[in-house]
Amino acid sequence: MKYYIFFGPPGAGKGTHAKAVTAAYNYKHISTGALLRAEIAAGTELGKEADALISKGNLVPDSMVEAMIANVFENEKEAEGFILDGFPRTLAQAEDLDKILADRGEEVSAVVSIMISDQLVMERILHRASIEGRADDASPEIVSNRIATYHAQTEPLIAYYKAQGKYHEVDGASPVLEENRDRVLAKMAELK
Ligand code: ADP
C-alpha cells in the first residue's frame, strides 16, 4: 500500500491536485479538513469541538485527526494507496503516523510539498471564500492565523521528512491551475 502525503500551506492546492491524482490512480483521497467539516455539518459533539478551533484558524487536537485517519485506513479495502491531504500537520502527528503505519507493516511512501508564497496563500483563500463559502476562509485575520500556524507547527515537518529522504517539492504558484496540476501528476508518475 502506498501512503503519499500532500503537504503545503492552506490554499496551496493540495485538495484540488489530490482529486486529479485519484482520477488517474486507484488511490483514496483523505482530507482531514473535509472529514472535520462533515462532522461540523452533521452537528456531532466532535464537530462542535472542531468548529470552535477551525473558525479561529487554529488546529484541532492531534488525537482527533489521528483517530479519523486510523479509522479510514482500517476500513479501506479497495484502494492501492492513500493521498493524505492536510495530515500530518504537527510533528507529533507525523511521529504518530509513522507508528500507526509501522504497526501495519507499512511506511510513508513520499511527501509531495506544493510550494506557494504567503502572499499567494492570502490571495487564493480570500478568492476561494467567495466560491466555497468556508467560514475559515472569509476573514484576512483568520487566514493570517492559519498561515502563522502553518509556519509554527507544520513547516518543521519538512526537516523531518527530508531526514527520511522522502521529501519532494513541486511549484504550485502558477496562475494557470493545469500547469500546477501537471507538475504534481508528473511527480506522482516519477514516485510510483
Ligand atoms: P486548508 O489546507 O485550506 O487549511 P483544510 O481543509 O486542510 O484546509 O483544513 C481546515 C482546518 O481544519 C485547518 O485550519 C485546521 O483547523 C483543521 N485541520 C485539518 N487537518 C488538520 C490536522 N491534521 N490537524 C489539526 N487540525 C486540522
Side-chain angles (χ1 to χ4, degrees), residues 18-52:
K19 287 194 186 79
V21 170
T22 51
Y25 297 90
N26 184 21
Y27 300 152
K28 186 172 174 67
H29 173 201
I30 308 178
S31 159
T32 43
L35 291 173
L36 291 165
R37 283 188 289 280
E39 295 282 343
I40 294 170
T44 64
E45 282 307 311
L46 188 153
K48 284 178 199 148
E49 195 188 328
D51 194 19

PDB file of all heavy atoms in Angstrom, residues 18-52:
ATOM      1  N   ALA A  18      -4.986  16.593  -5.373  1.00  0.00           N
ATOM      2  CA  ALA A  18      -5.243  15.221  -4.893  1.00  0.00           C
ATOM      3  C   ALA A  18      -6.389  14.606  -5.693  1.00  0.00           C
ATOM      4  O   ALA A  18      -6.337  13.422  -6.046  1.00  0.00           O
ATOM      5  CB  ALA A  18      -5.579  15.231  -3.405  1.00  0.00           C
ATOM      6  N   LYS A  19      -7.401  15.412  -6.018  1.00  0.00           N
ATOM      7  CA  LYS A  19      -8.532  14.892  -6.805  1.00  0.00           C
ATOM      8  C   LYS A  19      -8.061  14.478  -8.198  1.00  0.00           C
ATOM      9  O   LYS A  19      -8.502  13.458  -8.733  1.00  0.00           O
ATOM     10  CB  LYS A  19      -9.643  15.932  -6.906  1.00  0.00           C
ATOM     11  CG  LYS A  19     -10.405  16.093  -5.592  1.00  0.00           C
ATOM     12  CD  LYS A  19     -11.715  16.866  -5.778  1.00  0.00           C
ATOM     13  CE  LYS A  19     -12.378  17.134  -4.432  1.00  0.00           C
ATOM     14  NZ  LYS A  19     -11.766  18.263  -3.687  1.00  0.00           N
ATOM     15  N   ALA A  20      -7.175  15.272  -8.799  1.00  0.00           N
ATOM     16  CA  ALA A  20      -6.652  14.919 -10.130  1.00  0.00           C
ATOM     17  C   ALA A  20      -5.858  13.612 -10.063  1.00  0.00           C
ATOM     18  O   ALA A  20      -5.939  12.781 -10.976  1.00  0.00           O
ATOM     19  CB  ALA A  20      -5.770  16.052 -10.664  1.00  0.00           C
ATOM     20  N   VAL A  21      -5.123  13.429  -8.982  1.00  0.00           N
ATOM     21  CA  VAL A  21      -4.320  12.207  -8.841  1.00  0.00           C
ATOM     22  C   VAL A  21      -5.219  10.987  -8.650  1.00  0.00           C
ATOM     23  O   VAL A  21      -4.987   9.934  -9.256  1.00  0.00           O
ATOM     24  CB  VAL A  21      -3.315  12.353  -7.663  1.00  0.00           C
ATOM     25  CG1 VAL A  21      -2.659  11.019  -7.337  1.00  0.00           C
ATOM     26  CG2 VAL A  21      -2.257  13.404  -8.008  1.00  0.00           C
ATOM     27  N   THR A  22      -6.282  11.143  -7.853  1.00  0.00           N
ATOM     28  CA  THR A  22      -7.157   9.978  -7.627  1.00  0.00           C
ATOM     29  C   THR A  22      -8.001   9.658  -8.867  1.00  0.00           C
ATOM     30  O   THR A  22      -8.510   8.548  -8.988  1.00  0.00           O
ATOM     31  CB  THR A  22      -8.076  10.150  -6.397  1.00  0.00           C
ATOM     32  OG1 THR A  22      -8.754  11.398  -6.494  1.00  0.00           O
ATOM     33  CG2 THR A  22      -7.278  10.125  -5.115  1.00  0.00           C
ATOM     34  N   ALA A  23      -8.106  10.623  -9.785  1.00  0.00           N
ATOM     35  CA  ALA A  23      -8.782  10.317 -11.054  1.00  0.00           C
ATOM     36  C   ALA A  23      -7.879   9.464 -11.943  1.00  0.00           C
ATOM     37  O   ALA A  23      -8.358   8.728 -12.800  1.00  0.00           O
ATOM     38  CB  ALA A  23      -9.160  11.617 -11.773  1.00  0.00           C
ATOM     39  N   ALA A  24      -6.564   9.545 -11.715  1.00  0.00           N
ATOM     40  CA  ALA A  24      -5.604   8.834 -12.568  1.00  0.00           C
ATOM     41  C   ALA A  24      -5.102   7.532 -11.941  1.00  0.00           C
ATOM     42  O   ALA A  24      -4.606   6.651 -12.644  1.00  0.00           O
ATOM     43  CB  ALA A  24      -4.416   9.752 -12.874  1.00  0.00           C
ATOM     44  N   TYR A  25      -5.189   7.405 -10.641  1.00  0.00           N
ATOM     45  CA  TYR A  25      -4.683   6.218  -9.935  1.00  0.00           C
ATOM     46  C   TYR A  25      -5.759   5.684  -8.997  1.00  0.00           C
ATOM     47  O   TYR A  25      -6.648   6.423  -8.576  1.00  0.00           O
ATOM     48  CB  TYR A  25      -3.460   6.579  -9.076  1.00  0.00           C
ATOM     49  CG  TYR A  25      -2.265   7.077  -9.846  1.00  0.00           C
ATOM     50  CD1 TYR A  25      -2.097   8.443 -10.100  1.00  0.00           C
ATOM     51  CD2 TYR A  25      -1.288   6.198 -10.288  1.00  0.00           C
ATOM     52  CE1 TYR A  25      -0.988   8.910 -10.796  1.00  0.00           C
ATOM     53  CE2 TYR A  25      -0.172   6.654 -10.985  1.00  0.00           C
ATOM     54  CZ  TYR A  25      -0.031   8.018 -11.238  1.00  0.00           C
ATOM     55  OH  TYR A  25       1.061   8.467 -11.918  1.00  0.00           O
ATOM     56  N   ASN A  26      -5.617   4.430  -8.624  1.00  0.00           N
ATOM     57  CA  ASN A  26      -6.559   3.835  -7.666  1.00  0.00           C
ATOM     58  C   ASN A  26      -6.116   4.135  -6.222  1.00  0.00           C
ATOM     59  O   ASN A  26      -5.804   3.223  -5.449  1.00  0.00           O
ATOM     60  CB  ASN A  26      -6.656   2.322  -7.914  1.00  0.00           C
ATOM     61  CG  ASN A  26      -7.684   1.663  -7.017  1.00  0.00           C
ATOM     62  OD1 ASN A  26      -8.577   2.334  -6.496  1.00  0.00           O
ATOM     63  ND2 ASN A  26      -7.544   0.356  -6.825  1.00  0.00           N
ATOM     64  N   TYR A  27      -6.031   5.444  -5.928  1.00  0.00           N
ATOM     65  CA  TYR A  27      -5.667   5.874  -4.581  1.00  0.00           C
ATOM     66  C   TYR A  27      -6.883   6.553  -3.961  1.00  0.00           C
ATOM     67  O   TYR A  27      -7.679   7.163  -4.667  1.00  0.00           O
ATOM     68  CB  TYR A  27      -4.527   6.903  -4.604  1.00  0.00           C
ATOM     69  CG  TYR A  27      -3.231   6.439  -5.219  1.00  0.00           C
ATOM     70  CD1 TYR A  27      -2.372   7.353  -5.822  1.00  0.00           C
ATOM     71  CD2 TYR A  27      -2.853   5.094  -5.180  1.00  0.00           C
ATOM     72  CE1 TYR A  27      -1.166   6.956  -6.380  1.00  0.00           C
ATOM     73  CE2 TYR A  27      -1.642   4.690  -5.750  1.00  0.00           C
ATOM     74  CZ  TYR A  27      -0.807   5.620  -6.340  1.00  0.00           C
ATOM     75  OH  TYR A  27       0.365   5.214  -6.891  1.00  0.00           O
ATOM     76  N   LYS A  28      -6.967   6.479  -2.641  1.00  0.00           N
ATOM     77  CA  LYS A  28      -8.071   7.150  -1.949  1.00  0.00           C
ATOM     78  C   LYS A  28      -7.581   8.473  -1.362  1.00  0.00           C
ATOM     79  O   LYS A  28      -6.534   8.531  -0.717  1.00  0.00           O
ATOM     80  CB  LYS A  28      -8.615   6.247  -0.843  1.00  0.00           C
ATOM     81  CG  LYS A  28      -9.851   6.835  -0.188  1.00  0.00           C
ATOM     82  CD  LYS A  28     -10.504   5.854   0.770  1.00  0.00           C
ATOM     83  CE  LYS A  28     -11.646   6.504   1.524  1.00  0.00           C
ATOM     84  NZ  LYS A  28     -12.774   6.869   0.684  1.00  0.00           N
ATOM     85  N   HIS A  29      -8.349   9.531  -1.618  1.00  0.00           N
ATOM     86  CA  HIS A  29      -8.019  10.870  -1.122  1.00  0.00           C
ATOM     87  C   HIS A  29      -8.611  11.039   0.272  1.00  0.00           C
ATOM     88  O   HIS A  29      -9.822  10.896   0.431  1.00  0.00           O
ATOM     89  CB  HIS A  29      -8.616  11.892  -2.109  1.00  0.00           C
ATOM     90  CG  HIS A  29      -8.516  13.313  -1.671  1.00  0.00           C
ATOM     91  ND1 HIS A  29      -9.323  14.305  -2.180  1.00  0.00           N
ATOM     92  CD2 HIS A  29      -7.704  13.932  -0.782  1.00  0.00           C
ATOM     93  CE1 HIS A  29      -9.014  15.463  -1.626  1.00  0.00           C
ATOM     94  NE2 HIS A  29      -8.042  15.270  -0.776  1.00  0.00           N
ATOM     95  N   ILE A  30      -7.762  11.325   1.256  1.00  0.00           N
ATOM     96  CA  ILE A  30      -8.269  11.600   2.610  1.00  0.00           C
ATOM     97  C   ILE A  30      -7.914  13.029   2.975  1.00  0.00           C
ATOM     98  O   ILE A  30      -6.737  13.369   3.111  1.00  0.00           O
ATOM     99  CB  ILE A  30      -7.629  10.698   3.678  1.00  0.00           C
ATOM    100  CG1 ILE A  30      -7.723   9.232   3.285  1.00  0.00           C
ATOM    101  CG2 ILE A  30      -8.305  10.930   5.031  1.00  0.00           C
ATOM    102  CD1 ILE A  30      -7.059   8.328   4.317  1.00  0.00           C
ATOM    103  N   SER A  31      -8.917  13.873   3.123  1.00  0.00           N
ATOM    104  CA  SER A  31      -8.719  15.247   3.583  1.00  0.00           C
ATOM    105  C   SER A  31      -9.235  15.339   5.011  1.00  0.00           C
ATOM    106  O   SER A  31     -10.443  15.182   5.251  1.00  0.00           O
ATOM    107  CB  SER A  31      -9.491  16.215   2.678  1.00  0.00           C
ATOM    108  OG  SER A  31      -9.725  17.445   3.358  1.00  0.00           O
ATOM    109  N   THR A  32      -8.325  15.587   5.964  1.00  0.00           N
ATOM    110  CA  THR A  32      -8.785  15.711   7.360  1.00  0.00           C
ATOM    111  C   THR A  32      -9.689  16.932   7.508  1.00  0.00           C
ATOM    112  O   THR A  32     -10.652  16.900   8.269  1.00  0.00           O
ATOM    113  CB  THR A  32      -7.598  15.777   8.344  1.00  0.00           C
ATOM    114  OG1 THR A  32      -6.588  16.632   7.809  1.00  0.00           O
ATOM    115  CG2 THR A  32      -7.037  14.403   8.606  1.00  0.00           C
ATOM    116  N   GLY A  33      -9.409  18.004   6.742  1.00  0.00           N
ATOM    117  CA  GLY A  33     -10.280  19.183   6.790  1.00  0.00           C
ATOM    118  C   GLY A  33     -11.698  18.836   6.351  1.00  0.00           C
ATOM    119  O   GLY A  33     -12.682  19.232   6.990  1.00  0.00           O
ATOM    120  N   ALA A  34     -11.817  18.060   5.259  1.00  0.00           N
ATOM    121  CA  ALA A  34     -13.152  17.679   4.761  1.00  0.00           C
ATOM    122  C   ALA A  34     -13.854  16.759   5.759  1.00  0.00           C
ATOM    123  O   ALA A  34     -15.062  16.884   5.982  1.00  0.00           O
ATOM    124  CB  ALA A  34     -13.032  17.001   3.394  1.00  0.00           C
ATOM    125  N   LEU A  35     -13.108  15.832   6.367  1.00  0.00           N
ATOM    126  CA  LEU A  35     -13.711  14.942   7.375  1.00  0.00           C
ATOM    127  C   LEU A  35     -14.230  15.765   8.555  1.00  0.00           C
ATOM    128  O   LEU A  35     -15.324  15.520   9.067  1.00  0.00           O
ATOM    129  CB  LEU A  35     -12.689  13.906   7.868  1.00  0.00           C
ATOM    130  CG  LEU A  35     -12.267  12.836   6.853  1.00  0.00           C
ATOM    131  CD1 LEU A  35     -11.122  11.983   7.406  1.00  0.00           C
ATOM    132  CD2 LEU A  35     -13.442  11.937   6.493  1.00  0.00           C
ATOM    133  N   LEU A  36     -13.452  16.772   8.960  1.00  0.00           N
ATOM    134  CA  LEU A  36     -13.871  17.628  10.085  1.00  0.00           C
ATOM    135  C   LEU A  36     -15.093  18.463   9.700  1.00  0.00           C
ATOM    136  O   LEU A  36     -16.027  18.608  10.496  1.00  0.00           O
ATOM    137  CB  LEU A  36     -12.714  18.534  10.525  1.00  0.00           C
ATOM    138  CG  LEU A  36     -11.545  17.808  11.209  1.00  0.00           C
ATOM    139  CD1 LEU A  36     -10.311  18.711  11.279  1.00  0.00           C
ATOM    140  CD2 LEU A  36     -11.937  17.351  12.611  1.00  0.00           C
ATOM    141  N   ARG A  37     -15.096  18.995   8.463  1.00  0.00           N
ATOM    142  CA  ARG A  37     -16.255  19.791   8.018  1.00  0.00           C
ATOM    143  C   ARG A  37     -17.525  18.924   7.943  1.00  0.00           C
ATOM    144  O   ARG A  37     -18.627  19.407   8.211  1.00  0.00           O
ATOM    145  CB  ARG A  37     -15.964  20.480   6.684  1.00  0.00           C
ATOM    146  CG  ARG A  37     -15.059  21.722   6.843  1.00  0.00           C
ATOM    147  CD  ARG A  37     -14.919  22.518   5.557  1.00  0.00           C
ATOM    148  NE  ARG A  37     -14.110  21.840   4.561  1.00  0.00           N
ATOM    149  CZ  ARG A  37     -12.780  21.814   4.539  1.00  0.00           C
ATOM    150  NH1 ARG A  37     -12.072  22.442   5.476  1.00  0.00           N
ATOM    151  NH2 ARG A  37     -12.131  21.180   3.599  1.00  0.00           N
ATOM    152  N   ALA A  38     -17.368  17.646   7.612  1.00  0.00           N
ATOM    153  CA  ALA A  38     -18.533  16.744   7.590  1.00  0.00           C
ATOM    154  C   ALA A  38     -19.083  16.554   9.002  1.00  0.00           C
ATOM    155  O   ALA A  38     -20.299  16.499   9.203  1.00  0.00           O
ATOM    156  CB  ALA A  38     -18.143  15.398   6.971  1.00  0.00           C
ATOM    157  N   GLU A  39     -18.187  16.461   9.989  1.00  0.00           N
ATOM    158  CA  GLU A  39     -18.625  16.335  11.396  1.00  0.00           C
ATOM    159  C   GLU A  39     -19.348  17.608  11.840  1.00  0.00           C
ATOM    160  O   GLU A  39     -20.349  17.548  12.551  1.00  0.00           O
ATOM    161  CB  GLU A  39     -17.414  16.089  12.315  1.00  0.00           C
ATOM    162  CG  GLU A  39     -16.709  14.761  12.073  1.00  0.00           C
ATOM    163  CD  GLU A  39     -17.432  13.572  12.682  1.00  0.00           C
ATOM    164  OE1 GLU A  39     -18.288  13.758  13.554  1.00  0.00           O
ATOM    165  OE2 GLU A  39     -17.136  12.436  12.259  1.00  0.00           O
ATOM    166  N   ILE A  40     -18.820  18.752  11.403  1.00  0.00           N
ATOM    167  CA  ILE A  40     -19.455  20.032  11.771  1.00  0.00           C
ATOM    168  C   ILE A  40     -20.858  20.098  11.152  1.00  0.00           C
ATOM    169  O   ILE A  40     -21.830  20.439  11.819  1.00  0.00           O
ATOM    170  CB  ILE A  40     -18.589  21.229  11.300  1.00  0.00           C
ATOM    171  CG1 ILE A  40     -17.265  21.252  12.071  1.00  0.00           C
ATOM    172  CG2 ILE A  40     -19.339  22.561  11.483  1.00  0.00           C
ATOM    173  CD1 ILE A  40     -16.234  22.240  11.525  1.00  0.00           C
ATOM    174  N   ALA A  41     -20.944  19.728   9.871  1.00  0.00           N
ATOM    175  CA  ALA A  41     -22.234  19.791   9.169  1.00  0.00           C
ATOM    176  C   ALA A  41     -23.245  18.839   9.804  1.00  0.00           C
ATOM    177  O   ALA A  41     -24.437  19.145   9.855  1.00  0.00           O
ATOM    178  CB  ALA A  41     -22.030  19.440   7.688  1.00  0.00           C
ATOM    179  N   ALA A  42     -22.758  17.701  10.306  1.00  0.00           N
ATOM    180  CA  ALA A  42     -23.658  16.718  10.927  1.00  0.00           C
ATOM    181  C   ALA A  42     -24.016  17.102  12.361  1.00  0.00           C
ATOM    182  O   ALA A  42     -24.863  16.447  12.977  1.00  0.00           O
ATOM    183  CB  ALA A  42     -23.014  15.331  10.894  1.00  0.00           C
ATOM    184  N   GLY A  43     -23.334  18.136  12.887  1.00  0.00           N
ATOM    185  CA  GLY A  43     -23.666  18.620  14.233  1.00  0.00           C
ATOM    186  C   GLY A  43     -23.258  17.678  15.353  1.00  0.00           C
ATOM    187  O   GLY A  43     -23.851  17.706  16.437  1.00  0.00           O
ATOM    188  N   THR A  44     -22.229  16.840  15.122  1.00  0.00           N
ATOM    189  CA  THR A  44     -21.784  15.915  16.171  1.00  0.00           C
ATOM    190  C   THR A  44     -21.023  16.668  17.266  1.00  0.00           C
ATOM    191  O   THR A  44     -20.590  17.808  17.059  1.00  0.00           O
ATOM    192  CB  THR A  44     -20.845  14.838  15.588  1.00  0.00           C
ATOM    193  OG1 THR A  44     -19.657  15.492  15.104  1.00  0.00           O
ATOM    194  CG2 THR A  44     -21.502  14.083  14.432  1.00  0.00           C
ATOM    195  N   GLU A  45     -20.811  15.996  18.415  1.00  0.00           N
ATOM    196  CA  GLU A  45     -20.028  16.594  19.506  1.00  0.00           C
ATOM    197  C   GLU A  45     -18.619  16.922  19.017  1.00  0.00           C
ATOM    198  O   GLU A  45     -18.080  17.989  19.292  1.00  0.00           O
ATOM    199  CB  GLU A  45     -19.955  15.632  20.702  1.00  0.00           C
ATOM    200  CG  GLU A  45     -21.217  15.604  21.535  1.00  0.00           C
ATOM    201  CD  GLU A  45     -21.650  17.000  21.992  1.00  0.00           C
ATOM    202  OE1 GLU A  45     -20.816  17.766  22.511  1.00  0.00           O
ATOM    203  OE2 GLU A  45     -22.840  17.332  21.808  1.00  0.00           O
ATOM    204  N   LEU A  46     -18.033  15.965  18.283  1.00  0.00           N
ATOM    205  CA  LEU A  46     -16.694  16.180  17.724  1.00  0.00           C
ATOM    206  C   LEU A  46     -16.704  17.405  16.806  1.00  0.00           C
ATOM    207  O   LEU A  46     -15.808  18.243  16.845  1.00  0.00           O
ATOM    208  CB  LEU A  46     -16.253  14.925  16.970  1.00  0.00           C
ATOM    209  CG  LEU A  46     -14.817  14.848  16.462  1.00  0.00           C
ATOM    210  CD1 LEU A  46     -14.371  13.394  16.364  1.00  0.00           C
ATOM    211  CD2 LEU A  46     -14.628  15.539  15.120  1.00  0.00           C
ATOM    212  N   GLY A  47     -17.769  17.509  16.004  1.00  0.00           N
ATOM    213  CA  GLY A  47     -17.894  18.637  15.084  1.00  0.00           C
ATOM    214  C   GLY A  47     -17.956  19.967  15.817  1.00  0.00           C
ATOM    215  O   GLY A  47     -17.342  20.945  15.393  1.00  0.00           O
ATOM    216  N   LYS A  48     -18.674  19.993  16.925  1.00  0.00           N
ATOM    217  CA  LYS A  48     -18.790  21.247  17.690  1.00  0.00           C
ATOM    218  C   LYS A  48     -17.440  21.659  18.268  1.00  0.00           C
ATOM    219  O   LYS A  48     -17.059  22.826  18.232  1.00  0.00           O
ATOM    220  CB  LYS A  48     -19.818  21.074  18.823  1.00  0.00           C
ATOM    221  CG  LYS A  48     -21.245  21.114  18.323  1.00  0.00           C
ATOM    222  CD  LYS A  48     -22.254  20.899  19.450  1.00  0.00           C
ATOM    223  CE  LYS A  48     -23.600  20.491  18.860  1.00  0.00           C
ATOM    224  NZ  LYS A  48     -24.355  19.603  19.720  1.00  0.00           N
ATOM    225  N   GLU A  49     -16.711  20.663  18.785  1.00  0.00           N
ATOM    226  CA  GLU A  49     -15.386  20.950  19.342  1.00  0.00           C
ATOM    227  C   GLU A  49     -14.446  21.449  18.243  1.00  0.00           C
ATOM    228  O   GLU A  49     -13.698  22.413  18.418  1.00  0.00           O
ATOM    229  CB  GLU A  49     -14.826  19.660  19.981  1.00  0.00           C
ATOM    230  CG  GLU A  49     -13.640  19.897  20.900  1.00  0.00           C
ATOM    231  CD  GLU A  49     -12.988  18.586  21.366  1.00  0.00           C
ATOM    232  OE1 GLU A  49     -13.704  17.578  21.514  1.00  0.00           O
ATOM    233  OE2 GLU A  49     -11.761  18.590  21.547  1.00  0.00           O
ATOM    234  N   ALA A  50     -14.519  20.789  17.084  1.00  0.00           N
ATOM    235  CA  ALA A  50     -13.653  21.162  15.962  1.00  0.00           C
ATOM    236  C   ALA A  50     -13.996  22.565  15.456  1.00  0.00           C
ATOM    237  O   ALA A  50     -13.094  23.375  15.181  1.00  0.00           O
ATOM    238  CB  ALA A  50     -13.798  20.146  14.831  1.00  0.00           C
ATOM    239  N   ASP A  51     -15.276  22.860  15.353  1.00  0.00           N
ATOM    240  CA  ASP A  51     -15.717  24.136  14.788  1.00  0.00           C
ATOM    241  C   ASP A  51     -15.155  25.323  15.572  1.00  0.00           C
ATOM    242  O   ASP A  51     -14.714  26.327  14.988  1.00  0.00           O
ATOM    243  CB  ASP A  51     -17.257  24.186  14.781  1.00  0.00           C
ATOM    244  CG  ASP A  51     -17.805  25.310  13.923  1.00  0.00           C
ATOM    245  OD1 ASP A  51     -17.050  25.819  13.053  1.00  0.00           O
ATOM    246  OD2 ASP A  51     -18.965  25.690  14.097  1.00  0.00           O
ATOM    247  N   ALA A  52     -15.146  25.189  16.902  1.00  0.00           N
ATOM    248  CA  ALA A  52     -14.672  26.287  17.746  1.00  0.00           C
ATOM    249  C   ALA A  52     -13.206  26.611  17.447  1.00  0.00           C
ATOM    250  O   ALA A  52     -12.777  27.776  17.536  1.00  0.00           O
ATOM    251  CB  ALA A  52     -14.847  25.925  19.212  1.00  0.00           C
TER     252      ALA A  52
END
